[in-house]
């Protein structure tokens, strides 16, 4: 069994429902067990800023899948839920990023682990710190995260 961490975000349509659908889809995948889900955070967009705010969560999973297969499962779920990629860092119905997979360091055409920009993004690191403080702590860069708009919400996800 392998331990992995995902970041899931959405800023189009019913954002809460999008997160819930992604969690349900992950939970029904063979070889994936959701271990923990963070609180829901509302965050300002990063990169392309002329868009709606995002809802973001971090998810700790256990899996029998290898990291490449897990990445492909995430991409397939995005597609099944209706994601269309138009603008880099643009609006998205759902985004499922593989952040960490065990202690593997990998750089291929299709996958880079740890996720190459995770430490620069409060919407990734703050939810990750909530569910896996010992994993997140060595990666935290307070100076980078300080000025990013992120607020914990009262939203309770049902999945």
């Amino acid at each position: 069994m392998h331990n992995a961490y995902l970041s899931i975000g959405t800023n189009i349509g019913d954002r809460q429902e999008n997160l819930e659908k992604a969690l349900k889809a992950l939970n029904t995948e063979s070889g994936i067990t959701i271990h923990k889900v963070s609180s829901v955070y509302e965050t300002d967009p990063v990169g392309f800023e002329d868009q709606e705010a995002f809802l973001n969560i971090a998810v700790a999973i256990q899996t029998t899948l290898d990291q490449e297969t897990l990445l492909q499962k995430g991409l397939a779920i995005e597609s099944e839920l209706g994601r269309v990629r138009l603008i880099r860092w643009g609006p998205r119905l759902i985004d499922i990023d593989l952040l960490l997979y065990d202690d593997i360091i990998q750089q291929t055409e299709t996958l880079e682990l740890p996720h190459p920009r995770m430490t620069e993004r409060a919407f990734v690191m703050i939810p990750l710190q909530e569910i896996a403080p010992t994993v997140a702590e060595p990666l935290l860069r307070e100076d980078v995260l300080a000025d990013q708009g992120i607020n914990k919400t009262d939203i309770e996800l049902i999945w």
Side-chain angles (χ1 to χ4, degrees):
M1 200 59 94
H2 303 279
N3 295 308
Y5 297 90
L6 309 174
S7 177
I8 305 177
T10 175
N11 76 333
I12 295 176
D14 186 331
R15 300 174 302 161
Q16 178 176 344
E17 182 180 22
N18 296 341
L19 292 176
E20 291 172 344
K21 285 181 177 179
L23 289 170
K24 287 174 186 172
L26 283 167
N27 209 35
T28 59
E29 283 290 337
S30 178
I32 298 175
T33 303
I34 294 176
H35 181 64
K36 281 186 181 176
V37 178
S38 74
S39 299
V40 178
Y41 291 82
E42 187 166 55
T43 62
D44 294 340
V46 174
F48 180 72
E49 296 178 4
D50 186 20
Q51 58 182 317
E52 299 299 319
F54 281 80
L55 290 185
N56 293 94
I57 58 174
V59 182
I61 66 168
Q62 293 183 317
T63 184
T64 57
L65 305 175
D66 65 67
Q67 64 272 29
E68 294 281 351
T69 304
L70 181 57
L71 173 69
Q72 293 308 314
K73 291 284 186 187
L75 293 171
I77 290 169
E78 288 179 355
S79 182
E80 288 166 15
L81 294 179
R83 173 154 185 200
V84 178
R85 296 172 185 266
L86 298 174
I87 303 170
R88 184 174 186 184
W89 296 323
R92 57 203 66 192
L93 185 71
I94 198 73
D95 186 33
I96 303 172
D97 286 335
L98 176 55
L99 304 175
L100 300 162
Y101 183 96
D102 289 337
D103 293 326
I104 290 179
I105 297 172
Q106 173 178 333
Q107 190 167 1
T108 65
E109 280 186 36
T110 57
L111 179 61
E112 191 169 342
L113 291 170
H115 189 286
R117 290 169 300 282
M118 66 182 278
T119 60
E120 301 166 7
R121 297 175 172 169
F123 67 83
V124 171
M125 295 306 299
I126 292 172
L128 181 62
Q129 184 178 27
E130 179 185 323
I131 63 169
T134 57
V135 172
E137 189 68 34
L139 304 171
L140 282 177
R141 298 174 51 197
E142 298 288 340
D143 58 319
V144 174
L145 304 181
D147 295 333
Q148 297 181 29
I150 181 167
N151 296 297
K152 190 174 186 176
T153 72
D154 294 330
I155 296 170
E156 293 188 26
L157 299 176
I158 300 169
W159 50 275

